[in-house]
Amino acid sequence: MADRRFSPPWTFEEANNACFVVKDANGFAVSYVYFESESGRRTAADLMTKDEARRIAANIAKLPELLGADPKPDANALFHRR
């Protein structure tokens, strides 16, 4: 089975006034982040606010950039070398 590639850049957009959809460069939906605007329903279902969901979606969309960065050396690993 071929590996699925999720081409950067990733973007996000609001859908149906209910969630944010994070998509790869090919338009494939990588993630859905749901929210509830009505306070009573949000509390009853323990859902995120629209602003919370937007921030989460924005951070998910940054993942390819963050994971593509050169790894930084672990200071503890350098300290414990023999």
Side-chain angles (χ1 to χ4, degrees):
M1 184 173 168
D3 289 334
R4 172 164 270 187
R5 302 270 186 232
F6 303 106
S7 303
W10 289 6
T11 58
F12 70 98
E13 61 190 38
E14 186 176 340
N16 301 324
N17 199 31
C19 69
F20 290 97
V21 182
V22 179
K23 295 182 178 183
D24 72 1
N26 298 316
F28 181 79
V30 176
S31 176
Y32 292 84
V33 184
Y34 289 88
F35 63 87
E36 177 56 59
S37 299
E38 187 180 314
S39 177
R41 289 176 53 166
R42 181 176 57 248
T43 302
D46 200 26
L47 296 173
M48 288 185 263
T49 65
K50 185 175 184 177
D51 186 55
E52 290 168 334
R54 183 195 55 75
R55 290 184 308 198
I56 295 293
N59 283 314
I60 292 171
K62 292 177 189 175
L63 283 174
E65 178 184 335
L66 295 172
L67 295 175
D70 292 331
K72 296 188 176 22
D74 180 8
N76 290 326
L78 294 174
F79 179 75
H80 294 292
R81 276 193 182 161
R82 295 178 187 218

